[in-house]
Amino acid sequence: MNETIVKELDKILPVVVRVHGEHHPELHQVAKLYADLKETKSREILEKLRQVTDHYTAPEDACPTYQKTYQDLSILDQELE
């Protein structure tokens, strides 16, 4: 896995979940799936991430960090596919 992206996601994903998780509860599932993906890189986990994130499409009210989170997840997805 791309270590730069992983380090960035490890830093920003918990913040995005904390700030936006109340209005976007799917972020809790995104965080869980990301943690699972770090342990076991599988197509099944990637497919679940695609479904939960609507293919990494950030909602309209997403802040730049939220958008960056989905961009980084999309890059990981492409690299692992």
Side-chain angles (χ1 to χ4, degrees):
M1 265 210 258
N2 184 320
E3 285 189 38
T4 303
I5 300 256
V6 169
K7 285 180 184 178
E8 185 167 5
L9 282 169
D10 287 348
K11 182 178 169 183
I12 66 175
L13 183 54
V15 175
V16 170
V17 172
R18 187 177 71 244
V19 172
H20 297 284
E22 183 178 335
H23 296 295
H24 296 282
E26 70 279 0
L27 284 169
H28 298 283
Q29 190 174 4
V30 170
K32 167 100 175 69
L33 289 166
Y34 170 68
D36 291 347
L37 186 64
K38 286 171 54 178
E39 291 182 26
T40 308
K41 298 163 192 76
S42 79
R43 288 177 187 253
E44 182 180 317
I45 295 170
L46 288 172
E47 184 55 39
K48 287 179 185 175
L49 266 172
R50 290 181 203 123
Q51 290 172 0
V52 171
T53 63
D54 189 24
H55 294 273
Y56 310 105
T57 304
E60 289 184 23
D61 63 342
C63 70
T65 305
Y66 192 154
Q67 294 172 9
K68 178 68 173 149
T69 299
Y70 275 22
Q71 289 170 357
D72 286 351
L73 287 168
S74 177
I75 290 167
L76 280 185
D77 184 321
Q78 293 170 16
E79 289 180 355
L80 293 173
E81 197 46 41

